Amino acid sequence: MTQRVAKPDELELILSWATDEGWNPGLEDAAAFHAADPGGFFVATRDDQPVAAISVVNHSDSYAFLGLYLCQPNWRGQGIGYALWQYALAHAGDRTVGLDGVAAQQANYAKSGFTHAGATHRFEGKLRPKAVKDIRPVTPDDKARLDALDHAANGVERLRFLTAWTKDSATRRTLVLERAGEVVGLVTIRRCQSGAKIGPIIAPDAETGLHLARAALAALPAEHVIIDVPEANRAFTALMQAEGMVETFATARMYRGPAPETGPGLQAIATMELG
């Protein structure tokens, strides 16, 4: 068994495995993921054919995020995944590494130095779309302001990821909230294998976050939506429940190294795979 960096076209294969596991990735996630850190995706191979995968994406000189930890069913139980885990974590060096992992695996993650820091709750259902006057499409001139908003909300810099993630396409839209000439909110919606996911949602308060989600749906309609909410944001969680959104599962948010300090503007995360 050999471990190596995944080839660019293998990321689509890895995301197809994620689809098989019910993770429901976005239709154009591969390009945005790869742009964040082309050297951050890894596979274990037999005869150069991938049988397991993982990502450890270096967002900055101090922060990385682990995800897409997958092993094909016929190859499980042989230590292949854990060997790849160790190989890939070396890519992060001495950076803090975050992950959104299956809660039942917390003890295993702890053996690798990860500490529990909360949870991420997934809500699914229907929301009423509504365009809002002060919420408009993103433009290239917004880049510096988006970077600042995302940094304040997540406590980390992830410039390459955010640039790719917020680039509009046929299946993806990003909107910003502008007040008194200042960009104070951000939302991205993307179509997935099933429905659409909305995230990140960054807003001054939970009600404004809901307005951003509704505006995103007006820009890119979907019958079914998925939103991943940090456990600490109880106000936005309450709004999701009030809207009839149903929690379908939760992951454990864990860090190896000092956890970043998230800000109150983080209403929903971008993706469980890259943070």
Side-chain angles (χ1 to χ4, degrees):
M1 198 65 62
T2 300
Q3 295 93 20
R4 61 168 171 79
V5 174
K7 301 171 185 175
D9 61 343
E10 289 172 336
L11 190 46
E12 290 284 5
L13 173 66
I14 295 167
L15 289 176
S16 76
W17 294 354
T19 297
D20 293 342
E21 293 294 323
W23 295 3
N24 193 25
L27 296 179
E28 295 182 279
D29 278 358
F33 284 179
H34 191 262
D37 180 5
F41 301 87
F42 305 88
V43 290
T45 65
R46 173 61 61 88
D47 299 328
D48 206 37
Q49 297 301 309
V51 301
I54 194 170
S55 60
V56 178
V57 168
N58 291 341
H59 284 300
S60 71
D61 291 340
S62 61
Y63 186 71
F65 204 86
L66 184 153
L68 291 172
Y69 188 33
L70 295 153
C71 186
Q72 287 294 85
N74 291 344
W75 296 94
R76 293 173 185 170
Q78 302 178 44
I80 296 168
Y82 184 60
L84 183 62
W85 166 286
Q86 294 176 302
Y87 177 84
L89 270 176
H91 178 66
D94 60 359
R95 294 170 176 84
T96 288
V97 182
L99 63 81
D100 269 314
V102 179
Q105 295 295 322
Q106 286 185 60
N108 288 331
Y109 301 145
K111 293 176 183 177
S112 294
F114 286 84
T115 302
H116 184 262
T120 303
H121 298 268
R122 172 157 292 177
F123 289 90
E124 301 192 38
K126 292 186 176 183
L127 283 178
R128 177 173 52 84
K130 183 180 179 181
V132 179
K133 182 179 65 173
D134 294 336
I135 298 175
R136 59 167 175 79
V138 70
T139 72
D141 292 339
D142 294 319
K143 184 181 185 309
R145 292 179 286 185
L146 298 193
D147 291 343
L149 269 180
D150 189 71
H151 190 178
N154 288 281
V156 298
E157 287 186 346
R158 45 185 196 167
L159 306 182
R160 296 183 305 271
F161 169 68
L162 194 67
T163 297
W165 195 254
T166 57
K167 184 178 180 180
D168 281 355
S169 71
T171 68
R172 183 183 301 257
R173 293 286 187 278
T174 293
L175 306 176
V176 297
L177 169 64
E178 187 169 2
R179 289 177 176 168
E182 293 294 325
V183 173
V184 298
L186 160 69
V187 64
T188 295
I189 182 171
R190 71 197 199 277
R191 290 208 173 101
C192 298
Q193 301 293 332
S194 174
K197 291 181 179 177
I198 303 177
I201 303 174
I202 300 172
D205 53 68
E207 286 283 355
T208 304
L210 182 58
H211 292 326
L212 280 161
R214 293 195 192 283
L217 276 169
L220 192 72
E223 288 294 318
H224 184 83
V225 296
I226 303 101
I227 301 177
D228 297 328
V229 183
E231 180 181 52
N233 197 325
R234 301 188 185 280
F236 198 70
T237 293
L239 282 181
M240 293 291 95
Q241 294 168 334
E243 291 293 321
M245 299 281 281
V246 176
E247 183 177 338
T248 54
F249 73 90
T251 59
R253 175 58 68 98
M254 304 182 76
Y255 295 99
R256 189 188 72 174
E261 294 186 14
T262 58
L266 185 61
Q267 311 298 329
I269 68 167
T271 165
M272 288 185 177
E273 289 76 30
L274 268 69

